[in-house]
Amino acid sequence: MAKKIMKSTHLFTSESVTKGHPDKVADQISDGVLDCLLAKDPFARVACETLVTTGLVVLAGEITVHNSKAKEALLTVETVARDVVRSIGYNDSATGFDYRSCAVLTALHSQSADIAQGVGKALDRHQGAGDQGLMFGFACDETKVLMPLPIYMAHCLTDKLSEVRESGVLKWVRPDGKSQVTIRYANERPDAIDAIVLSTQHDESVINPRTNNMSDQARAKLIEKVVRPVVMAINPKLWSNRIKFHINPTGRFVTGGPHGDSGVTGRKIIVDTYGGRGAHGGGAFSGKDPSKVDRSASYMARYVAKNVVAAKLASVCEVQVSYAIGVAEPISVLVDCEGTARVDEARLAKAIRDIFPLTPAGIIKHLDLLRPIYRDTAAGGHFGRKGPHFTWEKTDKVDALRKAMGL
């Protein structure tokens, strides 16, 4: 067992964004299109990219469907895009983006026959990976959902920000927003919150006419209604008067969403995963059907890592898998417990390959991925979530892992 190298006190920061952030609008539209097609054709091949900007949604990519119902659904992608924009809360042209008035342009075509030939038929045991690449999964025991504390808290803050907007608790909050959390670590364990950044788009009602910036009262409300409840729910001991708050630090944030900044699918991959704590192979998730291992193998790697930590075989676990296009078995599997393993890592890696299905067909079947479940994943992170859609968050392999390791 490797000896853990203890570091001195250090700071680590992660960020999240709300569902109204331009990049997340794009992710949700791409996954909305994916869900629409999977509902009619579970074996659809989808790679849908979205661009949003002032008054405009552009859909591009490669889509192949196999029945008439799915072909009909493909004609409704404009309606899907508008429905996603509406549900997020962009329903007023005065904000520069409105589901009713925005233009929706489509540039979708079928998947390359060369790629389709290499991937093969869905759920065939010889089904090859949809592309080459490397994917990572990560888990640690810093939180109850086995996610790093900074990204988990950042997601909770943006979720709460959307909640107070949608419920009307803070009626002046608009859909776009971001959070950032800096945690102080001592001997590799979370010790205190050093700083919290929270920025939210807002209407003119909370502008101080003297400064032309957000009022101090509005900033205090964000701490009272968003920040404090989140911290107290996660761990009341983390709340202190030493936390540095940066609430709408630019002063005002009236212009936002796709009107304030363009958004593109796949530009928030660190927000989607572990906030920079675990490694990332570079492939985005949203808009891709599960034949694309960028998505499905990343989900499986998280499933593996989470079960390792839940089984108390390590406090930290990172799993890397890699694939070649058209080849079913992974090219490599690496397990790194960062010196926290309580068992031999070589034996653990072998047990993982024995217990977990790592071929594309095996992953898809085991995690039940041929379902329209993906729009829910496209905001708030893909990991550390609850609900029937998030099958990769189960810890049902704990007993099998412990038995394999002789525990």
Side-chain angles (χ1 to χ4, degrees):
M1 189 186 307
K3 182 178 179 181
K4 184 170 176 59
I5 299 174
M6 307 303 282
K7 296 181 180 179
S8 59
T9 300
H10 67 278
L11 301 177
F12 192 88
T13 302
S14 294
E15 70 160 349
S16 183
V17 298
T18 65
K19 63 179 70 175
H21 185 280
D23 293 328
K24 278 291 137 198
V25 173
D27 284 342
Q28 289 167 91
I29 292 173
S30 291
D31 273 339
V33 170
L34 173 62
D35 280 355
C36 173
L37 298 173
L38 288 180
K40 305 297 182 182
D41 177 7
F43 304 113
R45 296 286 195 240
V46 182
C48 180
E49 312 286 349
T50 304
L51 163 72
V52 295
T53 187
T54 304
L56 178 63
V57 175
V58 179
L59 299 174
E62 301 78 46
I63 294 176
T64 298
V65 294
H66 307 95
N67 61 53
S68 58
K69 290 184 177 180
K71 290 175 181 177
E72 290 174 6
L74 190 53
L75 300 176
T76 70
V77 292
E78 176 181 340
T79 302
V80 172
R82 293 187 190 280
D83 180 63
V84 171
V85 173
R86 178 196 56 77
S87 68
I88 291 170
Y90 288 112
N91 51 22
D92 184 353
S93 58
T95 66
F97 201 70
D98 175 15
Y99 77 96
R100 288 163 294 205
S101 60
C102 67
V104 180
L105 305 181
T106 61
L108 301 167
H109 57 86
S110 61
Q111 183 186 46
S112 161
D114 294 346
I115 294 175
Q117 173 180 293
V119 176
K121 295 181 179 179
L123 293 189
D124 183 295
R125 66 188 181 90
H126 299 298
Q127 177 184 349
D131 201 353
Q132 70 175 48
L134 54 146
M135 300 85 207
F136 290 89
F138 184 84
C140 63
D141 61 4
E142 293 179 12
T143 61
K144 60 185 178 181
V145 295
L146 304 185
M147 287 286 285
L149 180 59
I151 187 65
Y152 178 63
M153 187 174 289
H155 283 325
C156 290
L157 287 169
T158 52
D159 287 347
K160 189 68 174 179
L161 193 56
S162 293
E163 179 188 312
V164 298
R165 173 179 62 84
E166 293 169 355
S167 65
V169 170
L170 297 179
K171 296 180 179 180
W172 40 268
V173 172
R174 284 178 173 170
D176 195 359
K178 303 178 78 171
S179 68
Q180 186 171 288
V181 176
T182 300
I183 298 293
R184 185 172 72 239
Y185 284 76
N187 294 326
E188 297 301 285
R189 302 301 298 177
D191 182 58
I193 300 172
D194 184 76
I196 291 177
V197 182
L198 189 72
S199 296
T200 182
Q201 185 186 12
H202 56 84
D203 65 24
E204 298 277 359
S205 68
V206 292
I207 293 294
N208 182 328
R210 185 176 59 83
T211 63
N212 203 33
N213 288 325
M214 175 182 269
S215 68
D216 291 340
Q217 293 89 340
R219 288 190 172 91
K221 278 290 184 184
L222 288 169
I223 294 174
E224 175 193 347
K225 298 295 185 181
V226 177
V227 180
R228 183 179 171 87
V230 164
V231 174
M232 297 300 286
I234 294 173
N235 186 350
K237 293 180 180 179
L238 292 173
W239 186 261
S240 79
N241 57 12
R242 295 185 297 276
I243 300 173
K244 296 185 281 287
F245 295 108
H246 302 278
I247 309 298
N248 273 39
T250 62
R252 59 182 285 138
F253 188 0
V254 174
T255 301
H259 181 48
D261 189 12
S262 63
V264 180
T265 300
R267 205 157 58 178
K268 286 291 178 285
I269 58 176
I270 299 303
V271 171
D272 285 343
T273 52
Y274 308 103
R277 176 62 180 87
H280 199 295
F285 301 158
S286 290
K288 296 177 181 177
D289 75 84
S291 72
K292 280 74 172 174
V293 284
D294 275 343
R295 182 168 221 158
S296 55
S298 294
Y299 289 174
M300 178 55 77
R302 161 64 178 173
Y303 178 57
V304 173
K306 186 173 184 181
N307 274 271
V308 168
V309 175
K312 300 189 184 303
L313 303 181
S315 296
V316 177
C317 182
E318 182 173 87
V319 176
Q320 186 206 57
V321 289
S322 67
Y323 294 84
I325 186 169
V327 178
E329 290 291 338
I331 301 300
S332 66
V333 178
L334 174 67
V335 181
D336 181 6
C337 296
E338 298 185 0
T340 70
R342 301 178 181 98
V343 295
D344 180 75
E345 286 190 19
R347 285 184 59 212
L348 177 58
K350 183 180 184 305
I352 286 169
R353 295 203 73 149
D354 291 341
I355 293 169
F356 295 90
L358 298 177
T359 64
I363 293 169
I364 290 167
K365 183 177 180 180
H366 190 82
L367 297 180
D368 196 13
L369 298 180
L370 296 179
R371 300 178 293 148
I373 60 174
Y374 297 103
R375 184 171 158 188
D376 281 351
T377 70
H382 292 246
F383 306 124
R385 306 281 297 277
K386 295 180 180 180
H389 293 174
F390 298 89
T391 52
W392 49 92
E393 292 298 314
K394 292 181 179 179
T395 53
D396 54 351
K397 295 298 183 182
V398 166
D399 291 342
L401 279 167
R402 290 185 64 83
K403 182 178 179 180
M405 300 310 297
L407 300 177

PDB file of all heavy atoms in Angstrom, residues 274-298:
ATOM      1  N   TYR A 274     -16.143  17.112 -11.736  1.00  0.00           N
ATOM      2  CA  TYR A 274     -15.677  17.135 -10.346  1.00  0.00           C
ATOM      3  C   TYR A 274     -15.054  18.467  -9.938  1.00  0.00           C
ATOM      4  O   TYR A 274     -14.319  18.542  -8.954  1.00  0.00           O
ATOM      5  CB  TYR A 274     -14.685  15.986 -10.122  1.00  0.00           C
ATOM      6  CG  TYR A 274     -15.264  14.669 -10.584  1.00  0.00           C
ATOM      7  CD1 TYR A 274     -14.860  14.091 -11.800  1.00  0.00           C
ATOM      8  CD2 TYR A 274     -16.236  14.011  -9.843  1.00  0.00           C
ATOM      9  CE1 TYR A 274     -15.412  12.894 -12.244  1.00  0.00           C
ATOM     10  CE2 TYR A 274     -16.800  12.821 -10.286  1.00  0.00           C
ATOM     11  CZ  TYR A 274     -16.384  12.274 -11.483  1.00  0.00           C
ATOM     12  OH  TYR A 274     -16.934  11.096 -11.915  1.00  0.00           O
ATOM     13  N   GLY A 275     -15.335  19.499 -10.706  1.00  0.00           N
ATOM     14  CA  GLY A 275     -14.860  20.821 -10.320  1.00  0.00           C
ATOM     15  C   GLY A 275     -13.357  20.984 -10.363  1.00  0.00           C
ATOM     16  O   GLY A 275     -12.803  21.855  -9.698  1.00  0.00           O
ATOM     17  N   GLY A 276     -12.693  20.132 -11.154  1.00  0.00           N
ATOM     18  CA  GLY A 276     -11.242  20.208 -11.248  1.00  0.00           C
ATOM     19  C   GLY A 276     -10.519  19.313 -10.268  1.00  0.00           C
ATOM     20  O   GLY A 276      -9.303  19.151 -10.352  1.00  0.00           O
ATOM     21  N   ARG A 277     -11.248  18.704  -9.325  1.00  0.00           N
ATOM     22  CA  ARG A 277     -10.602  17.838  -8.328  1.00  0.00           C
ATOM     23  C   ARG A 277     -10.123  16.536  -8.956  1.00  0.00           C
ATOM     24  O   ARG A 277      -9.039  16.049  -8.668  1.00  0.00           O
ATOM     25  CB  ARG A 277     -11.579  17.556  -7.176  1.00  0.00           C
ATOM     26  CG  ARG A 277     -11.055  16.585  -6.127  1.00  0.00           C
ATOM     27  CD  ARG A 277      -9.806  17.114  -5.438  1.00  0.00           C
ATOM     28  NE  ARG A 277      -9.326  16.154  -4.448  1.00  0.00           N
ATOM     29  CZ  ARG A 277      -8.500  15.148  -4.712  1.00  0.00           C
ATOM     30  NH1 ARG A 277      -8.073  14.966  -5.944  1.00  0.00           N
ATOM     31  NH2 ARG A 277      -8.102  14.326  -3.752  1.00  0.00           N
ATOM     32  N   GLY A 278     -10.945  15.916  -9.776  1.00  0.00           N
ATOM     33  CA  GLY A 278     -10.531  14.722 -10.503  1.00  0.00           C
ATOM     34  C   GLY A 278     -10.081  15.109 -11.898  1.00  0.00           C
ATOM     35  O   GLY A 278     -10.368  16.207 -12.382  1.00  0.00           O
ATOM     36  N   ALA A 279      -9.364  14.207 -12.557  1.00  0.00           N
ATOM     37  CA  ALA A 279      -8.902  14.478 -13.926  1.00  0.00           C
ATOM     38  C   ALA A 279     -10.083  14.448 -14.893  1.00  0.00           C
ATOM     39  O   ALA A 279     -11.168  13.958 -14.575  1.00  0.00           O
ATOM     40  CB  ALA A 279      -7.853  13.453 -14.335  1.00  0.00           C
ATOM     41  N   HIS A 280      -9.859  14.981 -16.095  1.00  0.00           N
ATOM     42  CA  HIS A 280     -10.884  14.978 -17.137  1.00  0.00           C
ATOM     43  C   HIS A 280     -10.236  14.625 -18.461  1.00  0.00           C
ATOM     44  O   HIS A 280      -9.178  15.146 -18.798  1.00  0.00           O
ATOM     45  CB  HIS A 280     -11.567  16.343 -17.239  1.00  0.00           C
ATOM     46  CG  HIS A 280     -12.892  16.305 -17.943  1.00  0.00           C
ATOM     47  ND1 HIS A 280     -13.014  15.970 -19.274  1.00  0.00           N
ATOM     48  CD2 HIS A 280     -14.149  16.529 -17.497  1.00  0.00           C
ATOM     49  CE1 HIS A 280     -14.291  15.991 -19.617  1.00  0.00           C
ATOM     50  NE2 HIS A 280     -15.004  16.326 -18.553  1.00  0.00           N
ATOM     51  N   GLY A 281     -10.884  13.731 -19.214  1.00  0.00           N
ATOM     52  CA  GLY A 281     -10.329  13.311 -20.500  1.00  0.00           C
ATOM     53  C   GLY A 281     -10.571  14.278 -21.634  1.00  0.00           C
ATOM     54  O   GLY A 281      -9.997  14.131 -22.712  1.00  0.00           O
ATOM     55  N   GLY A 282     -11.446  15.281 -21.427  1.00  0.00           N
ATOM     56  CA  GLY A 282     -11.658  16.320 -22.435  1.00  0.00           C
ATOM     57  C   GLY A 282     -12.941  16.196 -23.226  1.00  0.00           C
ATOM     58  O   GLY A 282     -13.324  17.144 -23.904  1.00  0.00           O
ATOM     59  N   GLY A 283     -13.614  15.062 -23.167  1.00  0.00           N
ATOM     60  CA  GLY A 283     -14.839  14.888 -23.935  1.00  0.00           C
ATOM     61  C   GLY A 283     -16.058  15.392 -23.191  1.00  0.00           C
ATOM     62  O   GLY A 283     -16.216  15.131 -21.991  1.00  0.00           O
ATOM     63  N   ALA A 284     -16.931  16.120 -23.897  1.00  0.00           N
ATOM     64  CA  ALA A 284     -18.176  16.615 -23.307  1.00  0.00           C
ATOM     65  C   ALA A 284     -19.223  15.508 -23.307  1.00  0.00           C
ATOM     66  O   ALA A 284     -19.081  14.485 -23.973  1.00  0.00           O
ATOM     67  CB  ALA A 284     -18.675  17.833 -24.070  1.00  0.00           C
ATOM     68  N   PHE A 285     -20.304  15.722 -22.554  1.00  0.00           N
ATOM     69  CA  PHE A 285     -21.362  14.731 -22.412  1.00  0.00           C
ATOM     70  C   PHE A 285     -22.613  15.079 -23.218  1.00  0.00           C
ATOM     71  O   PHE A 285     -23.161  14.240 -23.919  1.00  0.00           O
ATOM     72  CB  PHE A 285     -21.768  14.585 -20.944  1.00  0.00           C
ATOM     73  CG  PHE A 285     -20.656  14.171 -20.009  1.00  0.00           C
ATOM     74  CD1 PHE A 285     -20.750  14.444 -18.653  1.00  0.00           C
ATOM     75  CD2 PHE A 285     -19.528  13.519 -20.467  1.00  0.00           C
ATOM     76  CE1 PHE A 285     -19.752  14.060 -17.779  1.00  0.00           C
ATOM     77  CE2 PHE A 285     -18.515  13.129 -19.611  1.00  0.00           C
ATOM     78  CZ  PHE A 285     -18.623  13.405 -18.252  1.00  0.00           C
ATOM     79  N   SER A 286     -23.111  16.289 -23.055  1.00  0.00           N
ATOM     80  CA  SER A 286     -24.455  16.631 -23.520  1.00  0.00           C
ATOM     81  C   SER A 286     -24.594  16.520 -25.036  1.00  0.00           C
ATOM     82  O   SER A 286     -23.676  16.841 -25.794  1.00  0.00           O
ATOM     83  CB  SER A 286     -24.837  18.043 -23.062  1.00  0.00           C
ATOM     84  OG  SER A 286     -25.036  18.066 -21.665  1.00  0.00           O
ATOM     85  N   GLY A 287     -25.777  16.045 -25.442  1.00  0.00           N
ATOM     86  CA  GLY A 287     -26.087  15.895 -26.854  1.00  0.00           C
ATOM     87  C   GLY A 287     -25.602  14.601 -27.461  1.00  0.00           C
ATOM     88  O   GLY A 287     -25.818  14.355 -28.645  1.00  0.00           O
ATOM     89  N   LYS A 288     -24.972  13.732 -26.666  1.00  0.00           N
ATOM     90  CA  LYS A 288     -24.399  12.491 -27.186  1.00  0.00           C
ATOM     91  C   LYS A 288     -25.176  11.281 -26.676  1.00  0.00           C
ATOM     92  O   LYS A 288     -25.401  11.151 -25.465  1.00  0.00           O
ATOM     93  CB  LYS A 288     -22.937  12.366 -26.770  1.00  0.00           C
ATOM     94  CG  LYS A 288     -22.035  13.443 -27.341  1.00  0.00           C
ATOM     95  CD  LYS A 288     -20.605  13.303 -26.833  1.00  0.00           C
ATOM     96  CE  LYS A 288     -19.713  14.406 -27.402  1.00  0.00           C
ATOM     97  NZ  LYS A 288     -18.335  14.328 -26.874  1.00  0.00           N
ATOM     98  N   ASP A 289     -25.549  10.388 -27.582  1.00  0.00           N
ATOM     99  CA  ASP A 289     -26.190   9.140 -27.160  1.00  0.00           C
ATOM    100  C   ASP A 289     -25.138   8.239 -26.500  1.00  0.00           C
ATOM    101  O   ASP A 289     -23.927   8.468 -26.663  1.00  0.00           O
ATOM    102  CB  ASP A 289     -26.839   8.451 -28.366  1.00  0.00           C
ATOM    103  CG  ASP A 289     -25.828   7.792 -29.273  1.00  0.00           C
ATOM    104  OD1 ASP A 289     -25.429   6.645 -28.979  1.00  0.00           O
ATOM    105  OD2 ASP A 289     -25.412   8.414 -30.273  1.00  0.00           O
ATOM    106  N   PRO A 290     -25.565   7.205 -25.754  1.00  0.00           N
ATOM    107  CA  PRO A 290     -24.605   6.425 -24.960  1.00  0.00           C
ATOM    108  C   PRO A 290     -23.659   5.534 -25.738  1.00  0.00           C
ATOM    109  O   PRO A 290     -22.769   4.929 -25.131  1.00  0.00           O
ATOM    110  CB  PRO A 290     -25.508   5.595 -24.039  1.00  0.00           C
ATOM    111  CG  PRO A 290     -26.832   5.566 -24.692  1.00  0.00           C
ATOM    112  CD  PRO A 290     -26.960   6.871 -25.422  1.00  0.00           C
ATOM    113  N   SER A 291     -23.785   5.439 -27.068  1.00  0.00           N
ATOM    114  CA  SER A 291     -22.748   4.728 -27.828  1.00  0.00           C
ATOM    115  C   SER A 291     -21.445   5.524 -27.797  1.00  0.00           C
ATOM    116  O   SER A 291     -20.370   4.973 -28.054  1.00  0.00           O
ATOM    117  CB  SER A 291     -23.189   4.490 -29.275  1.00  0.00           C
ATOM    118  OG  SER A 291     -23.179   5.696 -30.029  1.00  0.00           O
ATOM    119  N   LYS A 292     -21.558   6.823 -27.478  1.00  0.00           N
ATOM    120  CA  LYS A 292     -20.361   7.661 -27.356  1.00  0.00           C
ATOM    121  C   LYS A 292     -19.772   7.461 -25.958  1.00  0.00           C
ATOM    122  O   LYS A 292     -20.362   7.851 -24.953  1.00  0.00           O
ATOM    123  CB  LYS A 292     -20.696   9.138 -27.553  1.00  0.00           C
ATOM    124  CG  LYS A 292     -20.840   9.578 -29.000  1.00  0.00           C
ATOM    125  CD  LYS A 292     -22.103   9.112 -29.640  1.00  0.00           C
ATOM    126  CE  LYS A 292     -22.315   9.738 -31.019  1.00  0.00           C
ATOM    127  NZ  LYS A 292     -23.495   9.166 -31.695  1.00  0.00           N
ATOM    128  N   VAL A 293     -18.585   6.844 -25.895  1.00  0.00           N
ATOM    129  CA  VAL A 293     -17.995   6.536 -24.591  1.00  0.00           C
ATOM    130  C   VAL A 293     -17.562   7.776 -23.825  1.00  0.00           C
ATOM    131  O   VAL A 293     -17.328   7.707 -22.617  1.00  0.00           O
ATOM    132  CB  VAL A 293     -16.814   5.548 -24.742  1.00  0.00           C
ATOM    133  CG1 VAL A 293     -17.328   4.140 -24.986  1.00  0.00           C
ATOM    134  CG2 VAL A 293     -15.857   5.985 -25.849  1.00  0.00           C
ATOM    135  N   ASP A 294     -17.440   8.915 -24.522  1.00  0.00           N
ATOM    136  CA  ASP A 294     -17.214  10.163 -23.781  1.00  0.00           C
ATOM    137  C   ASP A 294     -18.219  10.276 -22.645  1.00  0.00           C
ATOM    138  O   ASP A 294     -17.873  10.705 -21.535  1.00  0.00           O
ATOM    139  CB  ASP A 294     -17.388  11.380 -24.706  1.00  0.00           C
ATOM    140  CG  ASP A 294     -16.124  11.720 -25.472  1.00  0.00           C
ATOM    141  OD1 ASP A 294     -15.048  11.254 -25.065  1.00  0.00           O
ATOM    142  OD2 ASP A 294     -16.217  12.433 -26.477  1.00  0.00           O
ATOM    143  N   ARG A 295     -19.451   9.884 -22.941  1.00  0.00           N
ATOM    144  CA  ARG A 295     -20.512   9.988 -21.946  1.00  0.00           C
ATOM    145  C   ARG A 295     -20.645   8.704 -21.122  1.00  0.00           C
ATOM    146  O   ARG A 295     -20.497   8.710 -19.908  1.00  0.00           O
ATOM    147  CB  ARG A 295     -21.836  10.306 -22.638  1.00  0.00           C
ATOM    148  CG  ARG A 295     -23.002  10.474 -21.696  1.00  0.00           C
ATOM    149  CD  ARG A 295     -24.232  11.059 -22.347  1.00  0.00           C
ATOM    150  NE  ARG A 295     -24.868  12.020 -21.462  1.00  0.00           N
ATOM    151  CZ  ARG A 295     -25.678  12.983 -21.843  1.00  0.00           C
ATOM    152  NH1 ARG A 295     -25.953  13.147 -23.113  1.00  0.00           N
ATOM    153  NH2 ARG A 295     -26.196  13.822 -20.957  1.00  0.00           N
ATOM    154  N   SER A 296     -20.932   7.592 -21.791  1.00  0.00           N
ATOM    155  CA  SER A 296     -21.277   6.363 -21.072  1.00  0.00           C
ATOM    156  C   SER A 296     -20.118   5.821 -20.248  1.00  0.00           C
ATOM    157  O   SER A 296     -20.311   5.357 -19.115  1.00  0.00           O
ATOM    158  CB  SER A 296     -21.776   5.306 -22.058  1.00  0.00           C
ATOM    159  OG  SER A 296     -20.841   5.085 -23.093  1.00  0.00           O
ATOM    160  N   ALA A 297     -18.898   5.858 -20.769  1.00  0.00           N
ATOM    161  CA  ALA A 297     -17.759   5.341 -20.010  1.00  0.00           C
ATOM    162  C   ALA A 297     -17.397   6.253 -18.845  1.00  0.00           C
ATOM    163  O   ALA A 297     -16.914   5.779 -17.810  1.00  0.00           O
ATOM    164  CB  ALA A 297     -16.556   5.141 -20.925  1.00  0.00           C
ATOM    165  N   SER A 298     -17.642   7.552 -18.988  1.00  0.00           N
ATOM    166  CA  SER A 298     -17.431   8.465 -17.859  1.00  0.00           C
ATOM    167  C   SER A 298     -18.426   8.156 -16.746  1.00  0.00           C
ATOM    168  O   SER A 298     -18.091   8.221 -15.555  1.00  0.00           O
ATOM    169  CB  SER A 298     -17.579   9.921 -18.312  1.00  0.00           C
ATOM    170  OG  SER A 298     -16.553  10.277 -19.208  1.00  0.00           O
TER     171      SER A 298
END
